[in-house]
Amino acid sequence: MPLLQVRDCPEDIYKKIVLAAKRKNRTIAQQTVVLLGKSLGQEESNIERRKRLLEKIQTRNISETTKEIDAVALLREDRDR
């Protein structure tokens, strides 16, 4: 995961982030990421994003050939090598 370092953050902004983090029971880093995400228009929660991704996966068209593949047999074959 990329690292983001902020220098010369105004003290009043830092204090607001600290207070918000305490209220939400988050670390300062977690709260900062949440605030950045919201300011960039990514207000969708992790749960909502996961639900949307699962729905997308479930609606994909999977060919019959792919459905016939036995995953257990493939794993067993790989482990026997």
Side-chain angles (χ1 to χ4, degrees), residues 53-73:
L53 179 61
L54 286 173
E55 288 171 3
K56 185 177 178 182
I57 290 170
Q58 290 171 349
T59 59
R60 286 183 7 185
N61 284 334
I62 300 172
S63 70
E64 291 301 317
T65 309
T66 304
K67 289 180 183 178
E68 293 173 4
I69 294 174
D70 184 5
V72 174

Side-chain angles (χ1 to χ4, degrees), residues 17-18 20-22 24-34:
I17 293 171
V18 170
K22 284 183 181 178
K24 297 289 187 172
N25 197 24
R26 295 180 178 135
T27 65
I28 296 169
Q30 290 170 330
Q31 185 64 30
T32 303
V33 169
V34 168

Side-chain angles (χ1 to χ4, degrees), residues 8-25:
D8 301 323
C9 179
E11 193 167 336
D12 60 324
I13 291 175
Y14 180 78
K15 286 181 180 180
K16 287 179 182 179
I17 293 171
V18 170
L19 289 173
K22 284 183 181 178
R23 274 187 254 126
K24 297 289 187 172
N25 197 24

